[in-house]
Amino acid sequence: MGKTFLLPSYAIIAHRGNSYYYPENTMLSIKNAVKSSVSMIEIDIHMTKDHELVVVHDEKIDRTSNGKGRVRDYTLRELKTFDFGTWKGAHFSNQHIMTLKEVFNYLANENICLLIELKCPHKYPNIVSILLDEIGHSSFPKNQVIIQSFSVKSLIQIAQFDTQISLGLLVKRRNFWLQNLKLKRYRKIVDFINPHYKSVNSRWIAKIHKLGFKTFPYTVNTFQTGLKMFNYGVDGIISDRPELMIDIKDNIIEAGT
């Protein structure tokens, strides 16, 4: 069986949830992204000392919690004692780190896709197999999941284990020229090439599409840049400000009717 991921037209992807207004990667941020009617939510995962997949961007919890240290040095129970909301504002207190399972359970009945970024996979033994196992045992539909990473090695490993799941290669701006030379090599591995938005132009988008890839540039947060990306012909936009990108999308659709 081949891949069955159904890509919405002009996908709006809420980066770490609705993270411009709410503490990133928390249930509050995800709930408000769902309310804004986005096409997709992007989250980041690391792994705890007791091999639980948790939703957090940084390898350390210092920036986004009242704790300190590396995710991998804590058990899930220990991480749950920290506040992951107050750093964004005192009124966001009592937001706790989520597991990937909790996100799957919350979104199981929502008509929404999930873009999962696999962070620092080389630092977490067996994280690929644990991730695929959680996806396989979840009630969240597999054809509404994309896994993305900067690690080509990890994406190759995922493709070897599961030929049905959709994959995306993230490309840093400083590595863009090098990865661009290797695009043809990735065609049998990944479905999406997701670069920093400053690397994108209409010529590159045309090349990507000709090779059979889709693309979600990151992280687009202004009206001018969002409009430019849509005019270039991107397939979706990863943004901290999904509601602003939805407004741009709606204006483009309305102007075309």
Side-chain angles (χ1 to χ4, degrees):
M1 184 182 295
K3 297 179 182 180
T4 58
F5 183 83
L6 299 176
L7 179 65
S9 176
Y10 288 125
I12 305 299
I13 302 115
H15 187 233
R16 310 177 199 172
N18 196 346
S19 58
Y20 188 79
Y21 296 105
Y22 302 95
E24 65 183 54
N25 279 320
T26 62
M27 183 59 78
L28 190 60
S29 183
I30 289 175
K31 282 183 177 179
N32 280 276
V34 171
K35 288 179 183 178
S36 68
S37 300
V38 297
S39 312
M40 195 178 308
I41 294 173
E42 186 266 356
I43 60 173
D44 310 280
I45 59 168
H46 287 268
M47 191 163 70
T48 67
K49 186 177 181 179
D50 51 346
H51 304 118
E52 293 285 346
L53 300 182
V54 287
V55 181
V56 61
H57 180 269
D58 299 351
E59 185 181 355
K60 293 183 176 182
I61 63 173
D62 302 43
R63 180 178 64 87
T64 58
S65 83
N66 61 348
K68 291 185 180 297
R70 300 182 189 279
V71 172
R72 68 174 181 264
D73 293 331
Y74 288 101
T75 65
L76 177 60
R77 171 178 268 184
E78 290 168 339
L79 285 171
K80 286 284 191 181
T81 66
F82 297 120
D83 187 313
F84 279 79
T86 305
W87 68 275
K88 190 78 169 178
H91 54 296
F92 294 130
S93 63
N94 296 318
Q95 289 296 306
H96 299 287
I97 199 167
M98 291 187 298
T99 63
L100 179 59
K101 292 173 186 173
E102 288 170 335
V103 175
F104 279 147
N105 289 338
Y106 175 70
L107 295 177
N109 297 316
E110 300 289 343
N111 184 25
I112 201 164
C113 300
L114 192 60
L115 179 61
I116 301 171
E117 182 177 346
L118 183 58
K119 307 290 289 188
C120 307
H122 61 288
K123 297 185 178 182
Y124 302 111
N126 300 318
I127 191 171
V128 165
S129 59
I130 291 171
L131 172 57
L132 292 177
D133 185 64
E134 288 202 9
I135 292 171
H137 287 90
S138 167
S139 57
F140 192 82
K142 184 185 288 190
N143 66 354
Q144 291 174 216
V145 173
I146 302 171
I147 301 173
Q148 66 174 0
S149 182
F150 289 103
S151 170
V152 176
K153 182 178 179 180
S154 296
L155 295 174
I156 291 172
Q157 189 179 0
I158 294 169
Q160 289 171 340
F161 278 117
D162 192 322
T163 59
Q164 296 179 42
I165 201 147
S166 296
L167 303 175
L169 176 63
L170 284 161
V171 183
K172 294 180 180 178
R173 192 180 180 195
R174 66 176 178 268
N175 294 337
F176 185 75
W177 67 272
L178 180 61
Q179 298 286 18
N180 207 28
L181 295 174
K182 300 177 180 178
L183 284 176
K184 290 184 180 179
R185 302 184 193 178
Y186 302 143
R187 281 189 292 185
K188 293 184 179 180
I189 305 166
V190 304
D191 312 279
F192 299 87
I193 303 292
N194 299 336
H196 189 281
Y197 77 88
K198 289 186 177 179
S199 302
V200 172
N201 57 41
S202 57
R203 185 177 178 182
W204 184 84
I205 295 296
K207 177 182 178 180
I208 280 290
H209 287 161
K210 187 174 181 179
L211 289 170
F213 297 111
K214 302 293 185 183
T215 185
F216 302 149
Y218 68 89
T219 304
V220 180
N221 289 332
T222 68
F223 182 92
Q224 292 83 358
T225 306
L227 184 61
K228 185 188 295 185
M229 292 299 110
F230 279 124
N231 288 335
Y232 285 162
V234 300
D235 302 286
I237 289 176
I238 299 173
S239 177
D240 296 330
R241 306 182 69 185
E243 291 161 330
L244 176 62
M245 297 303 123
I246 289 172
D247 287 343
I248 299 171
K249 172 183 173 179
D250 290 344
N251 287 334
I252 290 173
I253 292 173
E254 185 178 342
T257 58

